[in-house]
Short mmCIF file of all heavy atoms in Angstrom, two decimals:
data_model
loop_
_atom_site.label_atom_id
_atom_site.label_comp_id
_atom_site.label_asym_id
_atom_site.label_seq_id
_atom_site.Cartn_x
_atom_site.Cartn_y
_atom_site.Cartn_z
N THR M 113 108.38 107.10 96.44
CA THR M 113 108.83 108.47 96.23
C THR M 113 107.67 109.41 96.53
O THR M 113 106.51 108.95 96.61
CB THR M 113 109.27 108.69 94.78
OG1 THR M 113 108.14 108.50 93.92
CG2 THR M 113 110.40 107.76 94.36
N PRO M 114 107.93 110.69 96.67
CA PRO M 114 106.81 111.63 96.81
C PRO M 114 105.85 111.56 95.62
O PRO M 114 104.64 111.68 95.78
CB PRO M 114 107.51 113.00 96.90
CG PRO M 114 108.84 112.68 97.52
CD PRO M 114 109.22 111.35 96.92
N ALA M 115 106.37 111.35 94.42
CA ALA M 115 105.50 111.22 93.24
C ALA M 115 104.64 109.97 93.35
O ALA M 115 103.45 110.00 93.01
CB ALA M 115 106.34 111.17 91.97
N GLY M 116 105.21 108.89 93.84
CA GLY M 116 104.44 107.66 94.04
C GLY M 116 103.36 107.85 95.09
O GLY M 116 102.24 107.34 94.94
N PHE M 117 103.70 108.57 96.15
CA PHE M 117 102.71 108.86 97.20
C PHE M 117 101.56 109.68 96.63
O PHE M 117 100.39 109.36 96.85
CB PHE M 117 103.38 109.62 98.36
CG PHE M 117 102.43 110.12 99.40
CD1 PHE M 117 101.84 109.26 100.30
CD2 PHE M 117 102.11 111.47 99.48
CE1 PHE M 117 100.96 109.71 101.27
CE2 PHE M 117 101.23 111.94 100.43
CZ PHE M 117 100.65 111.06 101.33
N ALA M 118 101.87 110.72 95.87
CA ALA M 118 100.81 111.57 95.30
C ALA M 118 99.95 110.79 94.30
O ALA M 118 98.73 110.95 94.27
CB ALA M 118 101.44 112.80 94.62
N THR M 119 100.58 109.92 93.52
CA THR M 119 99.82 109.08 92.59
C THR M 119 98.90 108.14 93.35
O THR M 119 97.74 107.95 92.97
CB THR M 119 100.78 108.29 91.68
OG1 THR M 119 101.64 109.20 91.01
CG2 THR M 119 100.03 107.44 90.68
N ALA M 120 99.42 107.53 94.40
CA ALA M 120 98.61 106.61 95.21
C ALA M 120 97.45 107.34 95.87
O ALA M 120 96.33 106.82 95.93
CB ALA M 120 99.49 105.94 96.27
N VAL M 121 97.69 108.54 96.36
CA VAL M 121 96.62 109.35 96.96
C VAL M 121 95.54 109.62 95.92
O VAL M 121 94.34 109.47 96.19
CB VAL M 121 97.17 110.66 97.56
CG1 VAL M 121 96.06 111.65 97.86
CG2 VAL M 121 97.97 110.37 98.82
N ALA M 122 95.94 110.00 94.72
CA ALA M 122 94.96 110.26 93.66
C ALA M 122 94.15 109.01 93.35
O ALA M 122 92.91 109.07 93.24
CB ALA M 122 95.68 110.76 92.40
N PHE M 123 94.80 107.88 93.23
CA PHE M 123 94.10 106.63 92.91
C PHE M 123 93.14 106.22 94.02
O PHE M 123 91.98 105.91 93.76
CB PHE M 123 95.13 105.52 92.64
CG PHE M 123 94.52 104.16 92.50
CD1 PHE M 123 93.68 103.87 91.44
CD2 PHE M 123 94.79 103.17 93.42
CE1 PHE M 123 93.11 102.62 91.30
CE2 PHE M 123 94.24 101.91 93.30
CZ PHE M 123 93.39 101.63 92.23
N VAL M 124 93.62 106.22 95.25
CA VAL M 124 92.78 105.79 96.38
C VAL M 124 91.58 106.72 96.54
O VAL M 124 90.44 106.26 96.75
CB VAL M 124 93.61 105.70 97.67
CG1 VAL M 124 92.73 105.56 98.90
CG2 VAL M 124 94.59 104.53 97.58
#
Side-chain angles (χ1 to χ4, degrees):
T113 63
F117 173 74
T119 304
V121 165
F123 172 65
V124 167

